[in-house]
Amino acid sequence: MMLKPRWTRIVLLALPGMTASCAASLPPSAEPPRLTLPRAATTSCVLGRLPEAPTQADLEVAYVERGARLVACENARATAVETLTAERALQDRWRRETAARRRPAIWPW
């Protein structure tokens, strides 16, 4: 009867433990979630300008249009802030969940 070398027995004992520890870890390429900003949040706000010699009617129209555009810009800014806040909350949750699933390394290498 031929005896097996000692390292063969060690490998047979160590291999299942190494496989189990690798199977429990997350893939290194996992990315945190990202949200896409709506187009209105990334579009520049453009405010109208008065003509060279404005009349009273031009001033009234410009006043109303400028107010409407300022409201639209403020809504776009609020949407961008809400999206950023939601994305950060998702990423924080993702980090907590992935950290909870990670196991401490058993092997020193």
Side-chain angles (χ1 to χ4, degrees):
M1 170 191 292
M2 183 173 190
L3 292 175
K4 292 184 181 179
R6 179 174 280 163
W7 65 268
T8 305
R9 285 181 259 157
I10 293 172
V11 167
L12 291 176
L13 292 174
L15 195 61
M18 291 174 57
T19 303
S21 67
C22 289
S25 64
L26 295 174
S29 62
E31 295 284 330
R34 286 189 67 82
L35 298 177
T36 304
L37 284 172
R39 181 178 290 281
T42 58
T43 304
S44 298
C45 296
V46 179
L47 300 177
R49 300 191 111 169
L50 292 172
E52 287 294 322
T55 63
Q56 183 65 31
D58 290 335
L59 291 173
E60 290 174 2
V61 168
Y63 182 76
V64 171
E65 284 181 359
R66 188 175 185 96
R69 289 182 181 182
L70 284 173
V71 168
C73 285
E74 179 58 25
N75 288 338
R77 187 202 63 78
T79 302
V81 169
E82 288 173 10
T83 304
L84 178 65
T85 304
E87 180 179 84
R88 286 183 178 170
L90 281 172
Q91 289 176 352
D92 289 343
R93 190 176 91 198
W94 177 84
R95 285 185 186 99
R96 280 192 308 272
E97 290 174 359
T98 55
R101 287 187 287 182
R102 288 195 179 125
R103 291 187 173 180
I106 296 171
W107 305 103
W109 55 87

